[in-house]
């Protein structure tokens, strides 16, 4: 019972520190707005209205959270194993490309088959793009961070080449032909609401990853390697195998983000399809402390900033780049977690000492 209480206290402390980091980021962001002559209350009000003001914008926020949720899961499962996958952006783009090819050129399949085939193609695209830096790490000791970052650029330019040349639609400037109707994810609500089946798939993915990490041998081994690779090695756990597996799973999840963006929202592959969703996965995972379930909420937070920033810019005159600054401040304050822990525990210790 004591162990459970300690674990609960640790979870509550992590949640408190996360909320504290978000509040401090919002406060500092408000101070910056005041210094530049803007009204922070009006700006934040517009941000909330732009993200949650009515059902249509709320469903748009939920839809934007889907690729961020997948990339957050991708980054989190790699982080759990001590692998820093900074390549979710490139893996997402390759997933989008593979999904686009499967959705456009595979014909005469019913939707019940075509949709899974298209999403499996996206999964495969992301896994292949993660496999290469994973292989380079295993065989030639190429640093995973450097490898995955570099492959973001390669994926970006490769997808641009494919979209602007062999896959380019006639009459289109920067896009492929539309996907077959049978490859498109169905909408959950009628127009003007834009929420599609991708949100359900993202929630399912969250609980699958949670189950893998919490209730399977592979998940246990990956977490053990992330906590202490040396001890794991002495316990007979293959550090290299688990790091390799974590990166491949991570790439597949990022690839699914691209596939669902293409099949659920865009309907075709376009240049700039990602909008930085792959990079957003990093703060999403950090805010959630790599907890798959909490990623649902951290992804919603970042998605609401994305959708609300447009109204904040038009109605309050505050640049939408302010949202990027606030996201950065959240990460800065989260990186000061141990400072917060020290003072919180010190304060609690003094309080308990005073009671005695």
């Amino acid at each position: 019972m004591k162990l459970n209480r300690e674990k609960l206290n640790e979870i509550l402390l992590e949640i408190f520190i996360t909320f504290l980091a978000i509040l401090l980021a919002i406060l500092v962001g408000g101070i910056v707005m005041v210094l530049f002559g803007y009204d922070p209350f009006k700006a934040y009000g517009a941000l909330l209205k732009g993200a949650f003001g009515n059902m249509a914008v709320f469903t748009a926020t939920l839809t934007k959270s889907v690729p961020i949720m997948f990339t957050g899961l991708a980054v989190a499962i790699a982080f759990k194993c001590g692998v820093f996958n900074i390549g979710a952006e490139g893996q997402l783009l390759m997933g989008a490309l593979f999904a686009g090819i499967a959705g456009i050129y595979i014909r005469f399949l019913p939707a019940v088959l075509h949709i899974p085939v298209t999403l499996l193609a996206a999964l495969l695209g992301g896994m292949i793009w993660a496999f290469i830096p994973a292989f380079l790490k295993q065989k030639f000791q190429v640093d995973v961070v450097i490898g995955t970052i570099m492959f973001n650029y390669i994926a970006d330019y490769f997808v641009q080449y494919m979209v602007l040349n062999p896959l380019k639609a006639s009459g289109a400037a920067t896009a492929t032909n539309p996907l077959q109707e049978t490859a498109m994810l169905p909408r959950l609500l009628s127009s003007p609401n834009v929420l599609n089946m991708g949100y359900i798939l993202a929630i399912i993915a969250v609980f699958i990853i949670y189950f893998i990490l919490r209730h399977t041998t592979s998940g246990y081994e990956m977490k053990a390697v992330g906590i202490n690779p040396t001890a794991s090695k002495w316990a007979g756990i293959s550090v290299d195998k688990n790091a390799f597996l974590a990166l491949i799973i991570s790439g597949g999840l990022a690839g699914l983000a691209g596939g669902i963006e293409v099949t659920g929202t865009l309907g075709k592959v376009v240049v700039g399809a990602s909008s930085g969703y792959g990079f957003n996965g990093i703060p999403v995972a950090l805010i959630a402390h790599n907890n798959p379930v909490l990623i649902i909420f951290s992804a919603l937070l970042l998605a609401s900033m994305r959708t609300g920033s447009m109204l904040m810019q038009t109605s309050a005159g505050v640049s939408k780049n302010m949202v990027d600054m606030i996201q950065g401040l959240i990460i800065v304050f989260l990186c000061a977690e141990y400072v917060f822990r020290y003072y919180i525990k010190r304060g609690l210790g003094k309080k308990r000492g005073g009671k005695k």
Side-chain angles (χ1 to χ4, degrees), residues 10 17 75 115 138 177 181 241 291 297 330 338 355:
E10 183 64 24
I17 290 172
V75 172
I115 291 171
Q138 295 287 325
N177 287 311
E181 284 294 325
K241 184 196 82 173
N291 183 310
F297 305 101
I330 292 172
Y338 292 104
K355 284 182 179 179

Side-chain angles (χ1 to χ4, degrees), residues 43-78:
Y44 286 136
L47 186 71
L48 289 172
K49 186 178 178 181
F52 305 106
N54 55 54
M55 192 62 179
V57 297
F58 178 56
T59 56
T61 299
L62 290 177
T63 301
K64 279 193 180 294
S65 75
V66 172
I68 304 175
M69 211 183 302
F70 272 105
T71 56
L73 286 172
V75 172
I77 196 166

Side-chain angles (χ1 to χ4, degrees), residues 21-193:
I22 293 169
L23 288 173
L24 287 172
I26 291 171
L27 178 62
V28 174
I31 293 170
V32 172
M33 290 182 203
V34 171
L35 292 175
F36 281 90
Y38 299 110
D39 183 349
F41 295 102
K42 184 178 179 182
Y44 286 136
L47 186 71
L48 289 172
K49 186 178 178 181
F52 305 106
N54 55 54
M55 192 62 179
V57 297
F58 178 56
T59 56
T61 299
L62 290 177
T63 301
K64 279 193 180 294
S65 75
V66 172
I68 304 175
M69 211 183 302
F70 272 105
T71 56
L73 286 172
V75 172
I77 196 166
F79 279 1
K80 281 284 189 182
C81 195
V83 179
F84 295 94
N85 179 17
I86 315 298
E89 180 78 358
Q91 294 147 16
L92 181 153
L93 290 170
M94 293 304 292
L97 179 64
F98 274 54
I101 292 171
I104 295 168
Y105 297 105
I106 295 178
R107 300 173 183 271
F108 311 115
L109 279 180
V112 70
L113 293 178
H114 202 178
I115 291 171
V117 167
T118 304
L119 294 181
L120 282 172
L123 178 76
L124 181 63
M127 292 175 76
I128 289 172
W129 213 243
F131 171 83
I132 303 171
F135 176 79
L136 292 174
K137 169 63 177 175
Q138 295 287 325
K139 293 298 181 183
F140 304 106
Q141 294 303 305
V142 176
D143 186 87
V144 171
V145 174
I146 301 300
T148 52
I149 287 175
M150 291 300 101
F151 270 79
N152 284 332
Y153 295 103
I154 297 170
D156 187 17
Y157 289 117
F158 179 70
V159 171
Q160 282 189 45
Y161 169 77
M162 293 297 291
V163 172
L164 297 177
N165 291 280
L167 300 180
K168 183 180 177 183
S170 58
T174 59
T176 65
N177 287 311
L179 273 66
Q180 306 291 327
E181 284 294 325
T182 50
M184 294 296 295
L185 290 172
R187 286 194 174 188
L188 297 177
L189 299 169
S190 59
S191 184
N193 304 302

